[in-house]
Amino acid sequence: MRMVQESSLTVDIGQRTEQLEGIAAEIDAVAAEFMGSAQGAIGVRLQILSSRLRDLGAAVAADIVATHGKQKQIREALAVSECQFRSLAENLPDNIARWDCSGNYLYVNPTHERTLSKPASELIGRRISEVHACVATAIAHVVATGEEAPLVRQEVRDDNEEMRTHEVSIIPERNAQGQIVSVLGIGRDATVQVRMQEALATSERKFRTLAENLPNHLARYTVDGRTVYLNPKLEALMGYRTDEVAGKTPTQIFPDGRFAEYESNILKTAGTGNETQIELSIVAEDGGQFTHQVHCVAERDDMGVVVSVLVIGYDITQRRRAEVDLRMAASVFQAAGEAIVITDPTGAVLKTNPAFTQITNYDFADVDGRNFFELDNTAYAGIQAVLKKDGSWLGEISCRRKSGEPFMQRLSIAAVNDENADVIQYVCIFSDISQAKCHEAELEYVAHHDVLTGLPNRMLLTAHLDEGAEKARRAGRLLAVLFIDIDGFKSINDRLGHQVGDRALVEIGQRMLGNLRDTDTVARVGGDEFVILLPDLSDAAECELSAIRLLKAIAEPIDVEGYRFDLSASIGIALYPDHGDDTDSLLRRAHEAMYATKRNGRSQYVFCSDDSRSGLHLDSSRVYRLRVALEQNQIEVHYQPIVDLATGRIVKAEALARWRDPERGLVLPSEFIPIAEDSGIIHAIGVRVFSQTLDVAEAWNKLCPGGGKRRISVNRSPREFLGPDGVDNWIALLGERGGSIGHMLSVEITENLLLDDRPKVLDQLAKLRSAGMTIAIDDFGTGFSSLAYLRKFAIDDLKIDRSFIVDINNDPSDRAIVESVIAMARHLGLRLIAEGVETEAQASLLTSAGCDYAQGYLYARPMPAKEFLDFVVAAETGSLVFASAPPMIAAFSCCPIEK
């Protein structure tokens, strides 16, 4: 077709050229006619016109030929371009389509056909709006604006009915004049990319969710240390939000250098790509100090290049503190004087401390993995069954060392449970109490027997009398109390000496024993005074027969160291229940009857009667003077403040008894309390001190209402606990006051009171605690200090004896003991009070060691109630400034400081 068109064009050009040539020839002929005439000039001009006509024809012909050649080249180039376009479009994996400006399909490539599952024949000429409305909107935008449309995303279902995501670019196609003649669409299956983007977004959301809810600190930094992200935990620690510090380095945020090491490790990880780890002490914006373990991890791109640094921080403050506590506990474990054995739930030994080896002679290798309870089957029989039932066991048993040597053991076993309350271990703590038991037996004997004669003393007599009276009450029988005084014994001591007199007393004691039943009791209660108990009597006549035998036995001559002499006795008799129904009344009535016997001529016995009581007077003994002191209100209560070392506030005090003797002045309790205990007056003194303390405690808390309850501690003698009324009198006084008065008081007891594990004492302590009072161990460290009783009994406070405080700054041993006691108290949840603090240096050392409270002359001396209340009010209001060394009062100037 194109060849025919080109041939026709050649013929047409030739014909036109010939026509122009003919016209030129005619002009030439006319010109020739004018040339020979007067009008030759016209002929010349006609020749010029003819020549130009020929040139124009030639030029037009040449131009037509040239133009045709160019059009041919263009057509050929277009053909090549179209061919290349189709070749490219039909081989691309992308969707290619062309539409006219109205949105009608002009062309689709095979990929597009497959995507739409439609052949080109069904699409060419069809409007795009019938296929994809979103693409039609984009085409309309391109035609209207002449600009490329924003990327169009469309969902297409493939042959497998799976939804695929396609992204389509819509581009205008223009002619040479810049007019839009069509629109080209290029679409690509972006399913994988979109899913990756969605996965990335999901991953980022998860990262954010994790980072923002982690208990740890999380941050991201650029390779040059600039902040990209801080999670909320780290924002709170640093005191800044991410948007406030983004782009800044840690040292730019905190120029004071606190995060210099932190930044250094970030840069080190960024530079090397290696993980780094440091332990960092951080001071937060609120001033809190924390210890953090910081990990810096490099984040890399697909090429392995470090693009950022992820920092993960763990707050290990509690862990480090726990490690310190564990080391301290391990130190206590190793240094404890009591054996400690840890077993698994079956009893297999897991660990022992050095004291275990010292006590039992078993090395750890000897018992490792062995059943602890099978080391001595006889001693430990039945304990495991109790443990399974109750979870703990406490008691004293006799067991054997590795050598077979027996020894007494005070053993405490407690279960260790996991979070599900299942037993995971048992902790066994025991001490060798063999010597203590021997010593205790010796002390028990000494405490209850007269040193000279070996006979029971007043204490054991009282116990036998209580027991005998109770038995007599139940059996409906009589109990006789015979108070015996040896007549004229003083002259023996004066004339022959005390050694002879002592031998005579021993002889008299043995004679009395030889004339009584095994069930009778002979006790020595004074220099030459004896008391005899005759239980289970049917009538007074039986008692008289015994009295007669005793008088005869005592009256027989005594031969001692070459001396021979005669003695006699005066006997006063009181019967239970006729003359009294309690120990004090029976002894008193028998004592009165004995004096009546002496008035009546001695060397006889007299039964108690009203007549025998008349005209009798106690001798001028210390007991008598102490009773008078109590009756005349000479027993005072002084109060010594106890200071909170952390705050410097007075939060506690101790009530201390004082005897203001008209002749001797202020008498310390160390002198009169033992007399009061032996005579039984301690019960009345205890009630008097407690009652007055109630008044002062109540007044103190009213005068200083802020800062919680102030407590005043009251010492309670073991004799008071062992008395017939127990703590009932204290409980009654608390009940009369009502309210929360008990929460203003504490009771101080000695360590040794708990060692015997008396149910009666434990019940009384429970009553006091129920009334709101706390329990304190006084003079801790001076008795049989034991971890076992601290674990078992509900103790609130430990008071370190002043003997450990006095040289605490100079004696490393005292300091070590005090620090160990403080650490132990902290682990057991006990508060610690240091007694006898006299210097600022002592107070400073105790404060740094973690002691809670201090008491001593550094702060104040014991003072009467009014002076004490004025003192604490002044301290509370800030008008009192503690002196560095308050002056001691004259009464103590030549004595060691005592309570």
Side-chain angles (χ1 to χ4, degrees), residues 673 675-687 717 719-720:
I673 289 298
I675 301 172
E677 289 178 329
D678 287 339
S679 64
I681 303 175
I682 189 64
H683 300 286
I685 292 176
V687 172
S717 165
R719 301 290 178 85
E720 293 178 82

Side-chain angles (χ1 to χ4, degrees), residues 873-893:
V873 169
E876 188 73 10
T877 57
S879 60
L880 173 70
V881 177
F882 288 128
S884 59
M888 297 183 183
I889 58 173
F892 295 107
S893 58

Side-chain angles (χ1 to χ4, degrees), residues 277-388:
Q277 177 179 321
I278 58 169
E279 192 168 299
L280 197 63
S281 294
I282 298 175
V283 179
E285 282 301 286
D286 61 2
Q289 294 188 345
F290 303 91
T291 302
H292 282 248
Q293 192 174 69
V294 179
H295 295 262
C296 298
V297 182
E299 295 184 301
R300 304 173 186 270
D301 61 14
D302 294 340
M303 303 300 293
V305 178
V306 177
V307 294
S308 59
V309 176
L310 189 67
V311 177
I312 305 171
Y314 304 90
D315 187 345
I316 59 171
T317 307
Q318 294 302 322
R319 187 203 305 174
R320 287 292 177 259
R321 290 174 181 170
E323 288 172 356
V324 172
D325 289 343
L326 285 174
R327 285 195 296 271
M328 197 173 298
S331 176
V332 172
F333 180 83
Q334 291 295 322
E338 295 167 310
I340 303 176
V341 181
I342 300 174
T343 77
D344 68 11
T346 67
V349 175
L350 302 176
K351 193 172 184 180
T352 63
N353 71 337
F356 171 81
T357 300
Q358 294 172 2
I359 293 174
T360 66
N361 296 330
Y362 282 108
D363 293 326
F364 175 67
D366 297 331
V367 298
D368 185 14
R370 290 180 60 184
N371 191 306
F372 172 73
F373 303 102
E374 294 177 359
L375 295 179
D376 192 326
N377 290 321
T378 302
Y380 299 130
I383 291 180
Q384 279 187 292
V386 176
L387 287 175
K388 289 179 180 179

Side-chain angles (χ1 to χ4, degrees), residues 428-446:
C428 314
I429 302 176
F430 65 85
S431 54
D432 182 351
I433 58 171
S434 303
Q435 291 186 355
K437 280 294 181 182
C438 292
H439 185 57
E440 182 181 319
E442 293 172 359
L443 291 177
E444 180 77 12
Y445 184 86
V446 170

Side-chain angles (χ1 to χ4, degrees), residues 492-507:
I492 298 296
N493 280 333
D494 293 341
R495 290 185 296 107
L496 306 179
H498 286 279
Q499 184 173 346
V500 173
D502 289 346
R503 292 280 301 277
L505 290 174
V506 172
E507 174 65 22

